[in-house]
Amino acid sequence: PADINPNYFPARLWRLVNSPRFPSLRRDARGRGLLIQQRQFERAVLAVGPGSHGAPGANGLFKAKRCASIIRQLNRYGFCELAAGASSDRDGGCSGPLHHFYGPHFVRDRPDLLVRVKRLTEANRAKLAAGLEGKSRPAPRSQQ
Amino acid sequence: PADINPNYFPARLWRLVNSPRFPSLRRDARGRGLLIQQRQFERAVLAVGPGSHGAPGANGLFKAKRCASIIRQLNRYGFCELAAGASSDRDGGCSGPLHHFYGPHFVRDRPDLLVRVKRLTEANRAKLAAGLEGKSRPAPRSQQ
Amino acid sequence: PADINPNYFPARLWRLVNSPRFPSLRRDARGRGLLIQQRQFERAVLAVGPGSHGAPGANGLFKAKRCASIIRQLNRYGFCELAAGASSDRDGGCSGPLHHFYGPHFVRDRPDLLVRVKRLTEANRAKLAAGLEGKSRPAPRSQQ
DNA sequence: GGCGTTCTAGAATATTCGTAG
DNA sequence: GCTACGAATATTCTAGAACGC
């Protein structure tokens, strides 16, 4: 789309969740939520340790070292966690914590809704409460 | 000691850090700080997954599933993080995030100081700011 | 020193400039200024390119990808560029731009002055103009 | 009421981008 | 040209709030 800044969190998250290369961050079955396998996510996507960014394509997506930083971003953009719990238990608990987030306007196969995922600033909170549109920094030029 | 509740966080932390069974939570070289290897800590101590609390002795110490919960407790009891970063690099980044906390009155071989490790409630904060509770540093809110 | 947060820019810069491992950021002859060889600095210290962080020790110091970000930080902490201009050109332009910065209270062998290197917020600017001291976030307690 | 666990938000610094001077 | 700075987002660490025991 036109006015989405590809460097900002929603666009980065969109690219990551649509990449089959990183199953540690994927959609849930309904296509409305996010699943994060913390341990694998930190290892595969975040900048933990020197030899971490094995997979190019994730390199540079996030500069965070902590999964908590990504969770802070999710909250900042209006996502909330649904059911916290350990992961599927099939592996004897080896997969670590599993996070399940639900995000407004972050729907599978609906990139057109992505422009609505706004950073919750003080002003945007008020506007959302009033049913209006939030404002962000304009995106850099991209020829559509 | 007498007036330390062994069920509360400071006592539990003390037992854990003094147990050689869980090297993922240990003291730093100076004996004043704490080192937490997040990945191993979650695996060995926290209740992540069914097969997690393999080692009796940690079983029941914490019911938390998230390392973030322990960090919340550490902050609540006055600990603060010193230098966040990835772990030692010796293993190529496989060991995950490493946390380094410093806690007031949480000194190796000084269990007598443990009674001073207080939960920072509103009231305790005020007392600390007034300097009533010993020579620990005044609260983070300082007027210039 | 006591109230210097090792995670903040002045401390990180201090460590870097005192490390013989990264000659691309070094002191000038007078010991009061900084010299930055942009191209080598980006390759050796910043996260530019896939094989960039070859030298452990710089890993994690800065998460920036652009030299301009470090320059922004220098400006923010009161540094200014002295003799802007191209590099010595003796090597046929291979060394890239050379920056020469001068920083207040950033003097070789004077780590005691480091506490005065303050972030220039709006308030600190006013106070500096009035000759007073600026305020920062309190540093965590370092070991004595 | 206090403590533990979890989820969310505050506050300060860090990084990026754009642009005035 | 190009240096310095404003403004927005990103990352980190700490604290608030809700809920259960």
Side-chain angles (χ1 to χ4, degrees), chain A residues 65-143:
Chain A
K65 287 189 263 191
R66 306 279 179 93
C67 191
S69 298
I70 305 301
I71 293 178
R72 183 71 190 89
Q73 286 280 70
L74 287 167
N75 282 322
R76 204 183 286 278
Y77 280 87
F79 289 74
C80 57
E81 190 150 10
L82 284 182
S87 56
S88 64
D89 302 348
R90 193 97 31 98
D91 54 0
C94 289
S95 56
L98 176 70
H99 302 270
H100 192 181
F101 280 88
Y102 177 85
H105 311 301
F106 198 83
V107 189
R108 178 167 49 194
D109 299 327
R110 293 295 303 275
D112 56 295
L113 298 179
L114 207 52
V115 293
R116 300 203 195 176
V117 183
K118 298 283 187 188
R119 195 172 219 250
L120 293 187
T121 63
E122 201 69 29
N124 283 351
R125 267 179 208 284
K127 290 181 182 174
L128 283 175
L132 298 172
E133 276 291 320
K135 187 177 127 194
S136 309
R137 182 197 250 178
R141 65 178 65 268
S142 71
Q143 17 278 18

